[in-house]
């Protein structure tokens, strides 16, 4: 590990000043992602600013069923919070499907959505990677692509975002509260992450020195009938091959409204607007669920590679969405 300076400010404003003034500085929350990258040599900051004691750690009811989650709330505490479990079950389920109990005790609400890709080429500093070293090339293209993107990728990067929590927040229409050198601002969660384009090194729209201080969940009744389903290679401590966060409102056998997001398929949590539109006003049937998946996946571009590629994600995601919606609508038999 390379040497670096360490600073632990008393509050968020002081943390922002510390990082904003140093282009080689980074924030440290729970450290479940950054510490790995320090060990691997992926991250090489000269200054680490520890915000673990500078961020709010409470969950506040805003009225009308809305919640404000402090960025310092641990993933374990958030998953177990009674209001989250009752009003936003998809979020609790997504959190519990990620990592391990020990890691969830450390990982934070503000840090989890900002974790970087687990692409093996990104984490191997001996290989070219446009995300790690812009302009060096993408080793994943034509390489080992089983876990890579089928939606929104570019010739410069085909990596996927690894967070389960972020998929649920995208489906719920959350908003991110940010403090930066220019003051406070609020960002729709679906606008926080970027697709790679020709700047894959930029994961989000955050500017250097901007710090997430809280995440707001809107109080929409549809969120109470929601679920998260994750398909992975083993039962725990594995990232999603594909995942689905869904909330649905069914009346008299017809889908009145739906909120859907996909994980494991894109550089960002993927809000499935086409699938939502296909579902609204349609019968809540297996055929309708699969047609909604096909509407979203029409734009999918699987990657070939040394391992046979990832085209399998298309039928897998179709089945996963249908299974999630069957469970939410009481139609467990396909």
């Amino acid at each position: 590990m390379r040497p670096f300076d360490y600073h632990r400010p008393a509050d968020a404003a002081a943390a922002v000043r510390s990082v904003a003034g140093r282009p080689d500085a980074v924030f440290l929350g729970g450290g479940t992602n950054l510490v790995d990258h320090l060990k691997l040599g992926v991250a090489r900051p000269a200054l680490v600013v520890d915000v673990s004691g500078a961020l709010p750690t409470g969950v506040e009811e805003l009225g009308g069923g809305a919640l404000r989650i402090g960025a310092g709330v641990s993933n374990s505490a958030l998953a177990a919070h009674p209001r989250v479990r009752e009003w936003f079950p998809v979020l609790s389920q997504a959190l519990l499907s990620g990592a391990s109990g020990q890691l969830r005790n450390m990982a934070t609400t503000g840090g989890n959505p900002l974790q970087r890709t687990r692409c093996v080429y990104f984490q191997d500093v001996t290989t070219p990677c446009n995300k790690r070293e812009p302009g060096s090339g993408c080793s994943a293209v034509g390489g080992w692509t089983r876990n890579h993107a089928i939606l929104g990728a570019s010739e410069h990067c085909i990596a996927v975002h690894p967070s389960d929590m972020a998929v649920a927040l995208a489906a719920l229409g959350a908003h991110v509260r940010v403090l930066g050198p220019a003051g406070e601002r609020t960002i729709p969660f679906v606008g926080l992450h970027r697709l790679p384009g020709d700047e894959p090194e930029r994961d989000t729209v955050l500017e250097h020195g901007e710090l997430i201080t809280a995440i707001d969940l809107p109080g929409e009744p549809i969120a109470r009938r929601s679920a998260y389903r994750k398909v992975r290679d083993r039962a725990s401590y594995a990232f999603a091959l594909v995942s689905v966060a869904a909330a649905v409102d069914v009346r008299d056998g017809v889908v009145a409204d739906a909120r859907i997001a996909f994980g494991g398929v894109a550089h960002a949590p993927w809000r499935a607007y086409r699938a939502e539109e296909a579902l609204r006003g349609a019968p809540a049937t297996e055929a309708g669920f699969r047609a909604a998946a096909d509407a979203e996946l029409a734009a999918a571009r699987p990657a070939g590679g040394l391992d046979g590629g990832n085209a399998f994600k298309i039928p897998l995601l179709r089945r996963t969405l249908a299974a999630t919606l069957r469970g939410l609508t009481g139609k467990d038999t396909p």
Side-chain angles (χ1 to χ4, degrees):
M1 184 180 291
R2 295 163 58 96
F4 54 83
D5 295 329
Y6 174 84
H7 179 44
R8 187 179 172 92
D11 55 42
V16 167
R17 289 193 297 270
S18 295
V19 172
R22 294 276 299 270
D24 53 0
V26 297
F27 295 116
L28 171 71
T32 59
N33 192 208
L34 178 61
V35 172
D36 283 346
H37 289 166
L38 291 171
K39 293 176 180 178
L40 292 169
V42 172
R44 299 183 177 185
L47 172 63
V48 172
V49 177
D50 186 346
V51 297
S52 59
L55 294 170
T57 57
V59 177
E60 177 186 358
E61 295 187 31
L62 301 179
L67 293 180
R68 175 164 297 162
I69 306 163
V73 177
S74 74
N75 285 182
S76 291
L78 186 60
H81 194 280
R83 290 291 179 263
V84 173
R85 294 175 63 186
E86 179 184 2
W87 295 349
F88 305 97
V90 64
L91 178 56
S92 181
Q93 293 169 19
L95 287 163
L96 292 173
S97 75
S100 65
Q102 295 93 330
L103 288 173
R104 291 193 294 270
N105 288 340
M106 293 298 297
T108 62
T109 293
N112 181 290
L114 300 182
Q115 61 183 297
R116 308 203 72 189
T117 183
R118 269 28 181 224
C119 173
V120 294
Y121 300 107
F122 171 73
Q123 296 191 111
D124 181 354
V125 297
T126 68
T127 62
C129 172
N130 287 323
K131 179 175 283 295
R132 193 179 63 248
E133 295 182 20
S136 63
C138 178
S139 297
V141 174
W144 193 74
T145 59
R146 183 170 183 267
N147 292 329
H148 286 71
I150 59 173
L151 292 165
S154 76
E155 62 180 320
H156 303 288
C157 182
I158 60 172
V160 299
H161 193 272
S163 170
D164 295 294
M165 176 186 184
V167 183
L169 293 175
L172 291 170
H175 283 75
V176 182
R177 298 174 65 85
V178 174
L179 178 65
E184 293 182 309
R185 65 174 174 141
T186 301
I187 306 169
F189 192 84
V190 291
L192 175 64
H193 299 89
R194 299 179 65 259
L195 294 180
D198 57 5
E199 293 182 292
E201 71 276 12
R202 294 187 59 210
D203 292 341
T204 72
V205 299
L206 296 180
E207 301 294 338
H208 182 70
E210 286 193 311
L211 175 66
I212 294 176
T213 58
I215 292 179
D216 291 348
L217 298 177
E220 297 189 54
I222 191 175
R224 299 194 179 209
R225 180 179 282 185
S226 61
Y228 186 72
R229 185 178 291 259
K230 178 178 180 178
V231 180
R232 47 191 164 178
D233 284 326
R234 57 180 183 265
S236 67
Y237 201 56
F239 297 99
L241 292 171
V242 301
S243 66
V244 171
V248 65
D249 177 12
V250 176
R251 303 177 189 179
D252 299 323
V254 174
V255 179
D257 200 3
R259 304 281 193 277
I260 297 170
F262 297 153
V265 295
H267 194 260
W270 188 269
R271 181 69 182 263
Y273 290 112
R274 294 183 181 88
E276 293 175 3
E277 184 61 28
L279 284 168
R280 292 188 186 107
T285 62
E286 177 75 13
F289 301 157
R290 294 194 177 223
D294 289 339
E296 193 68 44
L297 292 169
R301 299 293 181 267
L306 299 173
D307 54 355
N310 61 5
F312 73 92
K313 287 191 176 187
I314 294 176
L316 180 60
L317 187 55
R318 183 187 301 116
R319 292 194 296 269
T320 303
L321 176 60
T324 307
L325 294 174
R326 286 199 308 270
L328 288 171
T329 58
K331 301 178 181 295
D332 290 324
T333 303

